[in-house]
Amino acid sequence: MTFKDMHPADIAEAITEMKRTERNLSFLKLSPDLKVEVFSFLDINIQEEIVRSMTQEDYADVLNNLEPDDRTELLEDFPDELIKYSINLLNDKEKQIALNLIGYKEDSIARLMTPLYIQTKANKTVRQVLDHIKVYGKKAETLNYIYVVDDHNKLIDDLKLGELVLADENTLISDLIDNTFVSITSTTKTEDAFDIFEKYDRSALPIITESGVLVGIVTFDDILDAIKDRDTEDIQKFGGMEELDLSYTQTPLFELVRKRAGWLIILFLGEMLTASAMGHFEDEIEKAVVLALFVPLIISSGGNSGSQAASLIIRAMALGELKLSDWWYVMRKELASGVMLGGILGIIGFVRIFIWQEAGIYDYGIHWVAVGLSVSVSLLFIVLWGTLSGSLIPFILRKFGMDPATASAPFVATLVDVSGLIIYFSIAAMFLTGKIL
């Protein structure tokens, strides 16, 4: 297969679809520069497989020419023996860069940064900077911005390349800067950096130390990758399972089962309380079997309303729209929503019983009105309870430093199922005491 004129990303996709032996041979046949570009687009398991098939010389060449941020991501995911092997193949300069990046906390924005950028000092002329770019620009991650530093490498400003191109070549950089810039501290959490990128709509942002020293830049493509990983993790958690380390198609069967079994067991044990709740009301069910007909309707409505609320709140938290201090605002809003939604379903439930009774589809007995009211009022309170529970649980988890996404839809539904049955039979007892019960 020929890869002439193909984009590195397309080549990586084509190689991934090949059988193992053909894949490794195809990669080794690529030119040295193309190997480096294609390698960064491959999934981690394919990268590991190719690494194990390469000679030390070939792998060292790829590793030393990888972008530092891509190499950091690679080393993060490799098994320990490959990390040590990889580090030892780096030249002194690249080894120092790699060790510095790996030294930052795993959730810090510095783990995504690259030290490949163009910087200059304020006493340089536009011509000098442009000449510098011509020599070193090919190695830079991006040329959209030029970073201006002082004698201690502290960031004092950044300039768009367009500003340099349009300026007179004898103009000093100091005449173009206004000492106003946006940056991110190296210790900032990656998730917090998302909001900064979005707020300032930047394709790249400089990373500085607490003392203001410029240590690297982070580009928007790396931020997008991190956002995708975060959202994937949250979606998997919200589905009631542990997050996968690899994609679904690349996760081994037993690993997939292990990731899903834990939560399923917890939820199953929780649902067992539903049977216990029904057992508690066994006498009432025996006297009015008709009540059991509406159990699935009642508990599913409460679980669905809770899952809806949890989804809305968790997403709003992820987007930064809601903070812990907003919990009372959310409670007031969800209280009104729960009453209205429960009221709508309650009316529909009563009308359904009325139609079935009058049309002769099913005979709910002479006390069908009391049965209808039991179902209707129960729906109101259970949907209200589900809405309040689903919206409050994410706040409680955030308060205790846990990921709100852990308030998965199955978890909320299970909680509301058990409590919903208690609400349903308690309300039914109020309406039907002295009649059926």
Side-chain angles (χ1 to χ4, degrees), residues 249-296:
T249 55
Q250 295 161 356
T251 302
L253 176 60
F254 289 106
E255 178 70 6
L256 192 63
V257 171
R258 187 185 70 80
K259 293 284 188 179
R260 298 166 68 175
W263 265 108
L264 279 179
I265 293 170
I266 293 172
L267 295 171
F268 177 74
L269 294 174
E271 288 290 0
M272 288 175 67
L273 296 174
T274 304
S276 299
M278 290 192 71
H280 180 75
F281 293 100
E282 185 177 0
D283 292 340
E284 286 80 358
I285 294 174
E286 285 181 359
K287 295 174 184 176
V289 177
V290 69
L291 293 176
L293 297 175
F294 297 98
V295 167

Short mmCIF file of all heavy atoms in Angstrom, two decimals, residues 249-296:
data_model
loop_
_atom_site.label_atom_id
_atom_site.label_comp_id
_atom_site.label_asym_id
_atom_site.label_seq_id
_atom_site.Cartn_x
_atom_site.Cartn_y
_atom_site.Cartn_z
N THR A 249 -13.40 -0.67 21.72
CA THR A 249 -12.98 -1.72 20.80
C THR A 249 -11.64 -2.34 21.17
O THR A 249 -11.34 -3.46 20.77
CB THR A 249 -12.90 -1.17 19.36
OG1 THR A 249 -12.02 -0.04 19.33
CG2 THR A 249 -14.27 -0.75 18.87
N GLN A 250 -10.83 -1.61 21.94
CA GLN A 250 -9.50 -2.10 22.29
C GLN A 250 -9.44 -2.69 23.70
O GLN A 250 -8.42 -3.25 24.10
CB GLN A 250 -8.48 -0.95 22.19
CG GLN A 250 -8.31 -0.44 20.76
CD GLN A 250 -7.70 0.94 20.72
OE1 GLN A 250 -7.47 1.55 21.75
NE2 GLN A 250 -7.46 1.44 19.52
N THR A 251 -10.52 -2.57 24.46
CA THR A 251 -10.55 -3.10 25.82
C THR A 251 -10.82 -4.60 25.80
O THR A 251 -11.83 -5.03 25.23
CB THR A 251 -11.63 -2.39 26.66
OG1 THR A 251 -11.37 -0.99 26.67
CG2 THR A 251 -11.63 -2.92 28.09
N PRO A 252 -9.95 -5.41 26.41
CA PRO A 252 -10.18 -6.86 26.46
C PRO A 252 -11.50 -7.19 27.16
O PRO A 252 -11.96 -6.44 28.03
CB PRO A 252 -8.98 -7.38 27.27
CG PRO A 252 -7.94 -6.31 27.15
CD PRO A 252 -8.69 -5.03 27.06
N LEU A 253 -12.10 -8.33 26.81
CA LEU A 253 -13.39 -8.71 27.34
C LEU A 253 -13.42 -8.75 28.86
O LEU A 253 -14.31 -8.19 29.50
CB LEU A 253 -13.79 -10.09 26.77
CG LEU A 253 -15.09 -10.69 27.31
CD1 LEU A 253 -16.27 -9.78 27.00
CD2 LEU A 253 -15.30 -12.09 26.74
N PHE A 254 -12.43 -9.41 29.47
CA PHE A 254 -12.45 -9.56 30.92
C PHE A 254 -12.24 -8.22 31.64
O PHE A 254 -12.79 -7.98 32.71
CB PHE A 254 -11.39 -10.58 31.37
CG PHE A 254 -11.74 -11.99 31.02
CD1 PHE A 254 -11.10 -12.65 29.98
CD2 PHE A 254 -12.75 -12.66 31.70
CE1 PHE A 254 -11.44 -13.95 29.63
CE2 PHE A 254 -13.10 -13.96 31.37
CZ PHE A 254 -12.45 -14.61 30.33
N GLU A 255 -11.47 -7.33 31.01
CA GLU A 255 -11.30 -5.99 31.58
C GLU A 255 -12.61 -5.22 31.50
O GLU A 255 -12.98 -4.49 32.43
CB GLU A 255 -10.19 -5.25 30.81
CG GLU A 255 -9.93 -3.82 31.27
CD GLU A 255 -9.28 -3.75 32.64
OE1 GLU A 255 -8.91 -4.79 33.21
OE2 GLU A 255 -9.14 -2.62 33.15
N LEU A 256 -13.33 -5.38 30.39
CA LEU A 256 -14.62 -4.71 30.21
C LEU A 256 -15.62 -5.20 31.26
O LEU A 256 -16.36 -4.40 31.86
CB LEU A 256 -15.15 -4.99 28.80
CG LEU A 256 -16.34 -4.16 28.32
CD1 LEU A 256 -15.98 -2.69 28.24
CD2 LEU A 256 -16.83 -4.65 26.96
N VAL A 257 -15.63 -6.51 31.49
CA VAL A 257 -16.53 -7.07 32.50
C VAL A 257 -16.16 -6.56 33.90
O VAL A 257 -17.03 -6.20 34.70
CB VAL A 257 -16.46 -8.62 32.48
CG1 VAL A 257 -17.21 -9.21 33.66
CG2 VAL A 257 -17.04 -9.14 31.17
N ARG A 258 -14.85 -6.51 34.20
CA ARG A 258 -14.41 -6.04 35.51
C ARG A 258 -14.82 -4.60 35.76
O ARG A 258 -15.25 -4.24 36.87
CB ARG A 258 -12.89 -6.16 35.63
CG ARG A 258 -12.35 -5.86 37.02
CD ARG A 258 -10.84 -5.88 37.05
NE ARG A 258 -10.26 -4.76 36.33
CZ ARG A 258 -10.15 -3.53 36.84
NH1 ARG A 258 -10.63 -3.25 38.05
NH2 ARG A 258 -9.61 -2.56 36.13
N LYS A 259 -14.69 -3.76 34.73
CA LYS A 259 -15.05 -2.34 34.87
C LYS A 259 -16.55 -2.15 35.10
O LYS A 259 -16.97 -1.19 35.75
CB LYS A 259 -14.63 -1.58 33.61
CG LYS A 259 -13.14 -1.48 33.38
CD LYS A 259 -12.50 -0.45 34.28
CE LYS A 259 -11.04 -0.21 33.92
NZ LYS A 259 -10.41 0.81 34.78
N ARG A 260 -17.35 -3.05 34.56
CA ARG A 260 -18.80 -2.91 34.67
C ARG A 260 -19.40 -3.65 35.86
O ARG A 260 -20.46 -3.28 36.37
CB ARG A 260 -19.46 -3.40 33.37
CG ARG A 260 -19.04 -2.59 32.16
CD ARG A 260 -19.40 -3.26 30.84
NE ARG A 260 -20.83 -3.30 30.61
CZ ARG A 260 -21.37 -3.75 29.48
NH1 ARG A 260 -20.59 -4.18 28.51
NH2 ARG A 260 -22.68 -3.77 29.33
N ALA A 261 -18.73 -4.71 36.30
CA ALA A 261 -19.31 -5.58 37.33
C ALA A 261 -19.47 -4.87 38.68
O ALA A 261 -20.48 -5.07 39.37
CB ALA A 261 -18.45 -6.83 37.49
N GLY A 262 -18.49 -4.06 39.06
CA GLY A 262 -18.52 -3.43 40.38
C GLY A 262 -19.80 -2.65 40.63
O GLY A 262 -20.52 -2.87 41.61
N TRP A 263 -20.09 -1.73 39.70
CA TRP A 263 -21.29 -0.91 39.85
C TRP A 263 -22.56 -1.74 39.72
O TRP A 263 -23.55 -1.49 40.41
CB TRP A 263 -21.29 0.22 38.82
CG TRP A 263 -20.73 1.50 39.35
CD1 TRP A 263 -19.53 2.07 39.05
CD2 TRP A 263 -21.34 2.38 40.30
NE1 TRP A 263 -19.35 3.23 39.75
CE2 TRP A 263 -20.45 3.45 40.52
CE3 TRP A 263 -22.54 2.36 40.99
CZ2 TRP A 263 -20.73 4.48 41.40
CZ3 TRP A 263 -22.83 3.41 41.87
CH2 TRP A 263 -21.92 4.45 42.07
N LEU A 264 -22.55 -2.74 38.82
CA LEU A 264 -23.73 -3.57 38.67
C LEU A 264 -24.06 -4.31 39.97
O LEU A 264 -25.23 -4.44 40.35
CB LEU A 264 -23.53 -4.59 37.54
CG LEU A 264 -23.77 -4.08 36.11
CD1 LEU A 264 -23.50 -5.18 35.10
CD2 LEU A 264 -25.18 -3.55 35.95
N ILE A 265 -23.02 -4.78 40.65
CA ILE A 265 -23.24 -5.48 41.92
C ILE A 265 -23.81 -4.52 42.97
O ILE A 265 -24.77 -4.84 43.69
CB ILE A 265 -21.92 -6.10 42.43
CG1 ILE A 265 -21.49 -7.24 41.49
CG2 ILE A 265 -22.07 -6.60 43.86
CD1 ILE A 265 -20.09 -7.76 41.76
N ILE A 266 -23.24 -3.32 43.04
CA ILE A 266 -23.72 -2.33 44.00
C ILE A 266 -25.18 -1.98 43.71
O ILE A 266 -26.02 -1.91 44.62
CB ILE A 266 -22.84 -1.06 43.94
CG1 ILE A 266 -21.43 -1.37 44.46
CG2 ILE A 266 -23.47 0.07 44.76
CD1 ILE A 266 -20.44 -0.25 44.25
N LEU A 267 -25.49 -1.75 42.43
CA LEU A 267 -26.86 -1.40 42.06
C LEU A 267 -27.82 -2.56 42.30
O LEU A 267 -28.97 -2.35 42.69
CB LEU A 267 -26.90 -0.97 40.57
CG LEU A 267 -26.13 0.31 40.24
CD1 LEU A 267 -26.06 0.52 38.73
CD2 LEU A 267 -26.79 1.52 40.91
N PHE A 268 -27.33 -3.79 42.06
CA PHE A 268 -28.18 -4.96 42.29
C PHE A 268 -28.52 -5.08 43.78
O PHE A 268 -29.67 -5.34 44.15
CB PHE A 268 -27.46 -6.22 41.82
CG PHE A 268 -28.22 -7.49 42.08
CD1 PHE A 268 -29.33 -7.82 41.32
CD2 PHE A 268 -27.84 -8.35 43.10
CE1 PHE A 268 -30.05 -8.97 41.57
CE2 PHE A 268 -28.54 -9.52 43.36
CZ PHE A 268 -29.66 -9.83 42.59
N LEU A 269 -27.51 -4.88 44.63
CA LEU A 269 -27.76 -4.93 46.06
C LEU A 269 -28.73 -3.84 46.48
O LEU A 269 -29.58 -4.03 47.36
CB LEU A 269 -26.44 -4.80 46.83
CG LEU A 269 -25.45 -5.96 46.67
CD1 LEU A 269 -24.13 -5.63 47.36
CD2 LEU A 269 -26.04 -7.25 47.23
N GLY A 270 -28.61 -2.67 45.83
CA GLY A 270 -29.53 -1.58 46.12
C GLY A 270 -30.95 -1.92 45.71
O GLY A 270 -31.92 -1.65 46.43
N GLU A 271 -31.08 -2.53 44.53
CA GLU A 271 -32.41 -2.90 44.05
C GLU A 271 -33.05 -3.99 44.91
O GLU A 271 -34.27 -4.13 44.93
CB GLU A 271 -32.33 -3.37 42.60
CG GLU A 271 -32.08 -2.26 41.57
CD GLU A 271 -33.29 -1.35 41.41
OE1 GLU A 271 -34.31 -1.58 42.07
OE2 GLU A 271 -33.19 -0.39 40.61
N MET A 272 -32.21 -4.77 45.61
CA MET A 272 -32.77 -5.79 46.51
C MET A 272 -33.60 -5.14 47.61
O MET A 272 -34.54 -5.76 48.15
CB MET A 272 -31.64 -6.62 47.13
CG MET A 272 -30.99 -7.59 46.14
SD MET A 272 -29.57 -8.46 46.83
CE MET A 272 -30.36 -9.47 48.07
N LEU A 273 -33.28 -3.88 47.93
CA LEU A 273 -34.08 -3.16 48.91
C LEU A 273 -35.49 -2.91 48.40
O LEU A 273 -36.42 -2.74 49.19
CB LEU A 273 -33.39 -1.83 49.27
CG LEU A 273 -32.03 -1.95 49.95
CD1 LEU A 273 -31.40 -0.56 50.11
CD2 LEU A 273 -32.16 -2.63 51.30
N THR A 274 -35.63 -2.88 47.04
CA THR A 274 -36.96 -2.72 46.46
C THR A 274 -37.84 -3.90 46.83
O THR A 274 -39.02 -3.73 47.19
CB THR A 274 -36.85 -2.61 44.92
OG1 THR A 274 -35.97 -1.54 44.58
CG2 THR A 274 -38.21 -2.36 44.30
N ALA A 275 -37.26 -5.10 46.74
CA ALA A 275 -38.02 -6.30 47.12
C ALA A 275 -38.36 -6.26 48.61
O ALA A 275 -39.47 -6.65 49.01
CB ALA A 275 -37.21 -7.55 46.80
N SER A 276 -37.41 -5.75 49.41
CA SER A 276 -37.67 -5.65 50.85
C SER A 276 -38.80 -4.67 51.13
O SER A 276 -39.66 -4.91 51.99
CB SER A 276 -36.40 -5.19 51.58
OG SER A 276 -35.36 -6.12 51.38
N ALA A 277 -38.82 -3.57 50.38
CA ALA A 277 -39.87 -2.56 50.56
C ALA A 277 -41.24 -3.13 50.20
O ALA A 277 -42.24 -2.91 50.90
CB ALA A 277 -39.57 -1.34 49.72
N MET A 278 -41.28 -3.89 49.08
CA MET A 278 -42.54 -4.51 48.68
C MET A 278 -42.98 -5.56 49.69
O MET A 278 -44.17 -5.73 49.96
CB MET A 278 -42.40 -5.12 47.28
CG MET A 278 -42.28 -4.08 46.18
SD MET A 278 -42.47 -4.77 44.53
CE MET A 278 -44.22 -5.16 44.52
N GLY A 279 -42.01 -6.28 50.26
CA GLY A 279 -42.34 -7.27 51.27
C GLY A 279 -42.96 -6.63 52.51
O GLY A 279 -43.84 -7.20 53.16
N HIS A 280 -42.52 -5.42 52.83
CA HIS A 280 -43.05 -4.70 53.99
C HIS A 280 -44.53 -4.37 53.80
O HIS A 280 -45.30 -4.30 54.76
CB HIS A 280 -42.24 -3.42 54.21
CG HIS A 280 -42.71 -2.61 55.38
ND1 HIS A 280 -42.46 -2.98 56.68
CD2 HIS A 280 -43.43 -1.46 55.44
CE1 HIS A 280 -42.98 -2.07 57.50
NE2 HIS A 280 -43.58 -1.14 56.77
N PHE A 281 -44.92 -4.16 52.54
CA PHE A 281 -46.31 -3.82 52.24
C PHE A 281 -47.08 -5.02 51.66
O PHE A 281 -48.05 -4.86 50.93
CB PHE A 281 -46.35 -2.66 51.23
CG PHE A 281 -45.83 -1.36 51.78
CD1 PHE A 281 -44.53 -0.95 51.49
CD2 PHE A 281 -46.61 -0.56 52.60
CE1 PHE A 281 -44.04 0.25 51.99
CE2 PHE A 281 -46.12 0.64 53.10
CZ PHE A 281 -44.84 1.04 52.81
N GLU A 282 -46.62 -6.20 52.02
CA GLU A 282 -47.23 -7.43 51.47
C GLU A 282 -48.72 -7.52 51.79
O GLU A 282 -49.53 -7.89 50.94
CB GLU A 282 -46.50 -8.65 52.03
CG GLU A 282 -46.97 -9.96 51.43
CD GLU A 282 -46.17 -11.15 51.97
OE1 GLU A 282 -45.26 -10.92 52.79
OE2 GLU A 282 -46.46 -12.28 51.56
N ASP A 283 -49.11 -7.17 53.02
CA ASP A 283 -50.52 -7.26 53.40
C ASP A 283 -51.38 -6.33 52.56
O ASP A 283 -52.48 -6.70 52.11
CB ASP A 283 -50.68 -6.91 54.89
CG ASP A 283 -50.06 -7.96 55.79
OD1 ASP A 283 -49.85 -9.09 55.31
OD2 ASP A 283 -49.76 -7.63 56.96
N GLU A 284 -50.88 -5.11 52.33
CA GLU A 284 -51.63 -4.15 51.53
C GLU A 284 -51.78 -4.65 50.09
O GLU A 284 -52.84 -4.48 49.46
CB GLU A 284 -50.94 -2.78 51.52
CG GLU A 284 -51.07 -1.99 52.83
CD GLU A 284 -50.09 -2.46 53.89
OE1 GLU A 284 -49.34 -3.42 53.64
OE2 GLU A 284 -50.09 -1.86 54.98
N ILE A 285 -50.72 -5.25 49.55
CA ILE A 285 -50.76 -5.75 48.17
C ILE A 285 -51.76 -6.90 48.06
O ILE A 285 -52.49 -7.02 47.08
CB ILE A 285 -49.36 -6.18 47.71
CG1 ILE A 285 -48.42 -4.97 47.63
CG2 ILE A 285 -49.43 -6.87 46.34
CD1 ILE A 285 -46.98 -5.32 47.33
N GLU A 286 -51.79 -7.76 49.09
CA GLU A 286 -52.74 -8.89 49.07
C GLU A 286 -54.19 -8.39 49.07
O GLU A 286 -55.06 -8.96 48.42
CB GLU A 286 -52.50 -9.79 50.29
CG GLU A 286 -51.26 -10.66 50.17
CD GLU A 286 -51.08 -11.55 51.40
OE1 GLU A 286 -51.93 -11.47 52.33
OE2 GLU A 286 -50.11 -12.32 51.42
N LYS A 287 -54.46 -7.33 49.83
CA LYS A 287 -55.82 -6.79 49.91
C LYS A 287 -56.20 -6.01 48.65
O LYS A 287 -57.37 -5.92 48.30
CB LYS A 287 -55.94 -5.87 51.13
CG LYS A 287 -55.78 -6.59 52.47
CD LYS A 287 -55.77 -5.60 53.61
CE LYS A 287 -55.50 -6.30 54.94
NZ LYS A 287 -55.40 -5.32 56.07
N ALA A 288 -55.22 -5.40 48.02
CA ALA A 288 -55.49 -4.61 46.81
C ALA A 288 -54.42 -4.92 45.77
O ALA A 288 -53.46 -4.16 45.60
CB ALA A 288 -55.52 -3.12 47.14
N VAL A 289 -54.60 -6.05 45.10
CA VAL A 289 -53.63 -6.48 44.08
C VAL A 289 -53.47 -5.43 42.99
O VAL A 289 -52.42 -5.30 42.36
CB VAL A 289 -54.06 -7.84 43.47
CG1 VAL A 289 -53.10 -8.26 42.38
CG2 VAL A 289 -54.14 -8.90 44.55
N VAL A 290 -54.53 -4.65 42.80
CA VAL A 290 -54.52 -3.62 41.76
C VAL A 290 -53.37 -2.63 41.96
O VAL A 290 -52.86 -2.05 41.00
CB VAL A 290 -55.89 -2.89 41.73
CG1 VAL A 290 -56.07 -2.04 42.98
CG2 VAL A 290 -56.00 -2.03 40.48
N LEU A 291 -52.96 -2.44 43.23
CA LEU A 291 -51.85 -1.52 43.50
C LEU A 291 -50.56 -1.97 42.83
O LEU A 291 -49.75 -1.14 42.39
CB LEU A 291 -51.63 -1.38 45.01
CG LEU A 291 -52.73 -0.69 45.83
CD1 LEU A 291 -52.38 -0.73 47.31
CD2 LEU A 291 -52.94 0.74 45.36
N ALA A 292 -50.34 -3.29 42.78
CA ALA A 292 -49.11 -3.83 42.21
C ALA A 292 -49.00 -3.55 40.71
O ALA A 292 -47.90 -3.50 40.15
CB ALA A 292 -49.02 -5.33 42.46
N LEU A 293 -50.16 -3.35 40.06
CA LEU A 293 -50.15 -3.09 38.61
C LEU A 293 -49.38 -1.82 38.27
O LEU A 293 -48.82 -1.69 37.18
CB LEU A 293 -51.58 -2.98 38.08
CG LEU A 293 -52.47 -4.21 38.21
CD1 LEU A 293 -53.89 -3.89 37.75
CD2 LEU A 293 -51.89 -5.36 37.38
N PHE A 294 -49.36 -0.87 39.20
CA PHE A 294 -48.78 0.44 38.90
C PHE A 294 -47.37 0.62 39.47
O PHE A 294 -46.80 1.71 39.34
CB PHE A 294 -49.71 1.55 39.43
CG PHE A 294 -51.05 1.56 38.77
CD1 PHE A 294 -52.13 0.95 39.38
CD2 PHE A 294 -51.22 2.14 37.53
CE1 PHE A 294 -53.37 0.94 38.77
CE2 PHE A 294 -52.45 2.14 36.91
CZ PHE A 294 -53.54 1.53 37.52
N VAL A 295 -46.83 -0.43 40.09
CA VAL A 295 -45.48 -0.32 40.65
C VAL A 295 -44.44 0.03 39.59
O VAL A 295 -43.63 0.95 39.78
CB VAL A 295 -45.09 -1.61 41.41
CG1 VAL A 295 -43.59 -1.62 41.72
CG2 VAL A 295 -45.89 -1.71 42.71
N PRO A 296 -44.38 -0.68 38.44
CA PRO A 296 -43.39 -0.32 37.41
C PRO A 296 -43.55 1.12 36.92
O PRO A 296 -42.56 1.83 36.71
CB PRO A 296 -43.67 -1.32 36.28
CG PRO A 296 -44.35 -2.47 36.93
CD PRO A 296 -45.18 -1.86 38.02
#
